């Protein structure tokens, strides 16, 4: 089981959280101008990073806040976490 460091509540068990995908995925600025293929690319296709990866998590059974987690996808080691919009996040 992962022990996730919530930047609001501290370290908690993985069961309290939900994974939200890549942290760096950005919504297109002009969505009405995208083709179906471009929408599909945004919605369904993500990098399958091997190694350190920035992810979004939500503390669904705690403070209900979204935050960034840096995790190694090979070892599942959590390197750190930060609030969304922080200098490191």
């Amino acid at each position: 089981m992962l022990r996730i460091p919530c930047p609001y509540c501290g370290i908690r068990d993985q069961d309290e959280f939900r994974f939200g995908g890549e942290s760096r995925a950005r919504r297109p600025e002009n969505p009405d101008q995208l083709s179906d293929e471009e929408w599909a690319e945004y919605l369904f296709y993500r990098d399958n990073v091997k190694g350190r990866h920035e992810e979004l998590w939500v503390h669904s059974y705690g403070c209900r806040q979204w935050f960034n987690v840096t995790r190694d996808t090979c070892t599942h080691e959590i390197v750190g976490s930060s609030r969304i919009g922080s200098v490191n996040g």
Side-chain angles (χ1 to χ4, degrees), residues 30-43:
N30 299 307
D32 55 335
Q33 297 175 4
L34 297 181
S35 67
D36 289 343
E37 291 80 17
E38 290 168 322
W39 261 118
E41 182 73 25
Y42 166 70
L43 292 173

Side-chain angles (χ1 to χ4, degrees), residues 13-87:
D13 288 341
Q14 166 187 343
D15 294 344
E16 293 188 19
F17 300 89
R18 294 295 171 260
F19 176 72
E22 282 185 20
S23 179
R24 304 294 178 215
R26 297 290 180 242
R27 184 175 175 85
E29 289 187 28
N30 299 307
D32 55 335
Q33 297 175 4
L34 297 181
S35 67
D36 289 343
E37 291 80 17
E38 290 168 322
W39 261 118
E41 182 73 25
Y42 166 70
L43 292 173
F44 303 113
Y45 295 99
R46 298 288 185 255
D47 295 335
N48 189 11
V49 176
K50 184 175 183 178
R52 282 193 180 184
H53 184 59
E54 298 290 324
E55 302 171 335
L56 282 174
W57 286 78
V58 63
H59 195 174
S60 53
Y61 292 138
C63 62
R64 303 179 70 122
Q65 296 292 316
W66 284 91
F67 59 96
N68 299 307
V69 171
T70 304
R71 183 177 67 88
D72 188 302
T73 59
C74 295
T75 65
H76 298 293
E77 174 191 11
I78 294 178
V79 180
S81 65
S82 63
R83 296 177 182 201
I84 293 175
S86 69
V87 174

